[in-house]
Amino acid sequence: MRTPRHKRRASETLERIANMAERRAHSDVVTAEQELAAHEERRLALQAQQEQAEQALFSDTGGVTSSVIQLISVSRLGRKLKLDAIDQDIAIAYARVGAKRKQHKSARHKKRTAELVREKMVTLHVAEHLGREQKDMDEVANQRFAALTGQSSTGNALSA
């Protein structure tokens, strides 16, 4: 069986591994959130571009004509297809962020569990060490007492 020192070292190693996994999971969450933000910014930029293009089309022509309305409807249809594609990317990114957050939550739980195990192993190691010290001190005290009273360390009296 392993000694308490080996158990403590093993628990510290497991804690380091759990810390690395948690940091990696957190990094994945941040990356997924940045990707989601990029998709949302791209969507907003496309909408702003569409509004500017329509305003420019109205200002270039003298008024609203059927050809202007046709151009606007065709451009809106094309941009709607682009927006739908971006919306699909956003939905995928939302799902990815949710999955990464679940992984991060799981990694945080494993990290906390590893910390508790390490703390327990350190506590047991310290308690065992203190117990050995106390046992040694009791043994020395018993030997001194036996030497003072003339008894052996096993508790039997010496014949005088």
Side-chain angles (χ1 to χ4, degrees), residues 80-151:
K80 183 183 181 318
L81 294 175
K82 290 179 184 178
L83 287 175
D84 288 344
I86 292 173
D87 287 341
Q88 284 181 335
D89 292 341
I90 289 173
I92 291 169
Y94 267 120
R96 188 174 295 127
V97 167
K100 296 296 181 182
R101 284 183 179 157
K102 282 183 182 179
Q103 288 176 349
H104 184 233
K105 183 178 179 181
S106 174
R108 279 195 331 247
H109 177 71
K110 288 178 183 178
K111 176 185 172 185
R112 182 64 185 141
T113 301
E115 288 173 352
L116 292 174
V117 168
R118 184 194 51 81
E119 289 172 8
K120 182 68 174 177
M121 289 297 115
V122 167
T123 302
L124 289 175
H125 180 72
V126 167
E128 184 176 308
H129 179 70
L130 292 176
R132 274 186 270 138
E133 278 185 359
Q134 185 64 42
K135 190 175 181 182
D136 292 343
M137 290 171 48
D138 288 346
E139 187 176 310
V140 168
N142 285 339
Q143 288 174 355
R144 286 182 183 165
F145 179 74
L148 290 176
T149 60
Q151 295 180 350

Side-chain angles (χ1 to χ4, degrees), residues 32-81:
E33 287 174 345
Q34 289 172 344
E35 180 184 339
L36 175 62
H39 288 307
E40 289 174 342
E41 287 175 18
R42 195 172 57 151
R43 188 180 200 294
L44 291 174
L46 186 62
Q47 286 176 329
Q49 180 187 11
Q50 179 181 356
E51 290 174 8
Q52 290 174 354
E54 288 178 7
Q55 291 298 327
L57 190 60
F58 282 129
S59 65
D60 288 346
T61 59
V64 178
T65 62
S66 63
S67 61
V68 170
I69 293 175
Q70 276 185 324
L71 282 173
I72 289 174
S73 65
V74 169
S75 70
R76 283 185 179 178
L77 180 63
R79 286 195 177 91
K80 183 183 181 318
L81 294 175

